[in-house]
Amino acid sequence: MGSVIIGSGRALPARIVTNDELSEIVDTTDEWIVPRTGIHTRHVAIEETCTDLGAQAALRALGLDEGGWQREAEAIDAASLDMIICPTLTADTHFPSEAARIRERIGATNAVCYDMSCACSGCVYGLSTADLIMAGAAFARQEAARTGTPLRCNDVRRVLVVAAERLSKLVDWEERATCILFGDGAGAVVLEWRDEAETGAAGADAPGILSSYMENTDDVDRTLWCDSAFASRKVPFAADGTTAAGASATATPRLAASDAESDPYMRMAGQAVFKFATSAMMRCTEEALTRAGLTTDDVTLFTPHQANERIIRYAAKKMGLPMERFQVIIDHVGNVSGASALIALNEALCEGKLQPGDIACMTAFGGGLTAGSCVIRI
């Protein structure tokens, strides 16, 4: 039994921003950006919200809008979804969750929803979590049938994982080191729990998530960091115990500030990120493949997080693999955080680079510091 990808979709904002356009607002050039990052253009959401992007990617993954990929010819009913997991850093609202907003937009009336904050590793964390939840539900169904007792948890058989980001809202557009890297967009997959009879294949040939691996490293040096927008908001309680209500009518209420003023923008230590990312990419890939009983020779295509083309090239060289084995999309979308690898997976599926029976390896790394990898038989 396993979690099988039955649909995949992506969505990108209409506005494309070139490197030459960036050179008009920061001290940079196309000739400086491309060799260092591999990025030529990125999409920036002007009119689109995070919900717009996530819903469009979801509808395409369901086959309810053109541009997606489905395992079977027929579209997937949104009402058949049992859960929606949305990895995001830029939800349109603190609550309801972005997942809940997407649920409403696509008509997933039976789905339980929540968001996930794990930065650029959201693709792997989302897929792995969905797989674990469905595996747990499958075990609970078996136990309920064996003992003749009620199911002790939600019966989760279909999960939509949709990562949606508007990183343009977190970028300091006056800081060259970060504003050149990031873009907006969304990627989605629909996972369904199937047994061997339902997949039409047995044992080692059955499609599904074959293995996963996740890890966290303490970011004590603030390698990748973005303060909460409300971290430095003040509350009406002073350190001496007085409150605004206890002050005179003419006095200005004393508000207790947080320990430090928050920085509303994303900050990154480039060299430290490169070192962490290349190490994590190789380590997580190896661990996930080992858990699946496979090697890099068994992988049809790697669909990694798209942080920087140099990171992908460095890791490929260290693993002794040609770049043709990697789906690279950063040149036209930039770094879209947790959506990047899901967008790469969708492009590979739509372009026919991955066919049923092929092996894909998705690896990601990001703020937290988070990292992980999962191995998928299409």
Side-chain angles (χ1 to χ4, degrees):
M1 298 184 291
S3 304
V4 179
I5 293 179
I6 61 172
S8 168
R10 69 182 187 272
L12 295 166
R15 180 69 163 92
I16 298 174
V17 176
T18 66
N19 291 341
D20 288 337
E21 287 181 278
L22 283 179
S23 68
E24 297 175 5
I25 62 174
V26 292
D27 182 19
T28 192
T29 63
D30 181 74
E31 292 75 19
W32 190 90
I33 294 171
V34 174
R36 290 167 174 80
T37 68
I39 301 171
H40 294 268
T41 60
R42 74 285 294 145
H43 292 251
V44 174
I46 307 299
E47 301 294 336
E48 302 93 345
T49 65
C50 197
T51 306
D52 292 334
L53 296 169
Q56 186 177 48
L59 289 171
R60 288 173 174 169
L62 293 166
L64 300 174
D65 192 7
E66 294 182 357
W69 174 92
Q70 285 74 46
R71 179 172 294 276
E72 281 88 30
E74 64 272 14
I76 303 162
D77 183 4
S80 71
L81 296 173
D82 300 303
M83 181 173 287
I84 299 176
I85 301 173
C86 182
T88 184
L89 299 172
T90 57
D92 292 330
T93 52
H94 287 300
F95 50 87
S97 67
E98 189 58 56
R101 292 170 62 93
I102 293 170
R103 165 197 147 119
E104 179 183 6
R105 184 74 66 85
I106 68 175
T109 53
N110 296 304
V112 175
C113 306
Y114 64 91
D115 291 352
M116 177 181 286
S117 178
C118 39
C120 301
S121 300
C123 50
V124 170
Y125 277 51
L127 290 175
S128 301
T129 301
D131 180 51
L132 290 169
I133 289 173
M134 286 196 287
F139 176 77
R141 287 195 299 271
Q142 292 174 347
E143 286 298 292
R146 183 181 66 83
T147 60
T149 57
L151 189 66
R152 63 184 181 88
C153 63
N154 284 34
D155 191 6
V156 182
R157 298 171 186 258
R158 277 187 177 175
V159 180
L160 169 69
V161 178
V162 50
E165 295 289 11
R166 286 198 301 166
L167 295 173
S168 58
K169 300 298 182 181
L170 299 182
V171 165
D172 182 351
W173 289 99
E174 296 181 354
E175 184 182 73
R176 179 179 70 172
T178 55
C179 77
I180 65 172
L181 295 173
F182 296 95
D184 301 333
V189 293
V190 181
L191 292 168
E192 180 177 78
W193 187 264
R194 294 184 176 182
D195 61 26
E196 290 182 359
E198 292 171 318
T199 62
D205 295 326
I209 296 178
L210 305 182
S211 68
S212 66
Y213 171 73
M214 297 179 285
E215 66 174 37
N216 271 70
T217 303
D218 294 337
D219 190 5
V220 294
D221 297 319
R222 295 171 70 101
T223 303
L224 276 168
W225 203 275
C226 187
D227 288 333
S228 168
F230 62 84
S232 62
R233 288 182 184 172
K234 300 175 181 180
V235 297
F237 300 95
D240 61 6
T242 62
T243 67
S248 69
T250 58
T252 301
R254 287 172 291 177
L255 301 179
S258 62
D259 293 337
E261 293 298 313
S262 65
D263 181 350
Y265 299 115
M266 181 192 317
R267 302 301 178 190
M268 179 180 68
Q271 290 300 316
V273 168
F274 185 91
K275 183 178 179 180
F276 163 72
T278 51
S279 173
M281 186 170 172
M282 291 183 288
R283 180 175 63 254
C284 294
T285 298
E286 181 180 4
E287 181 63 32
L289 286 172
T290 298
R291 292 181 176 188
L294 302 173
T295 70
T296 55
D297 292 337
D298 298 306
V299 178
T300 308
L301 192 68
F302 293 86
T303 59
H305 169 53
Q306 312 281 314
N308 188 312
E309 188 176 311
R310 290 173 62 201
I311 292 173
I312 300 173
R313 288 188 177 278
Y314 181 88
K317 182 178 180 180
K318 286 292 185 179
M319 290 189 285
L321 299 171
M323 283 296 291
E324 290 74 21
R325 300 273 302 281
F326 293 80
Q327 182 74 3
V328 179
I329 64 167
I330 192 170
D331 60 314
H332 59 280
V333 302
N335 181 344
V336 198
S337 189
S340 289
L342 292 176
I343 295 172
L345 176 67
N346 178 255
E347 286 203 7
L349 289 167
C350 291
E351 292 170 358
K353 293 181 180 179
L354 286 170
Q355 299 289 336
D358 288 344
I359 300 291
C361 182
M362 180 182 294
T363 304
F365 40 84
L369 296 163
T370 58
S373 185
C374 57
V375 180
I376 308 160
R377 188 185 299 277
I378 302 302

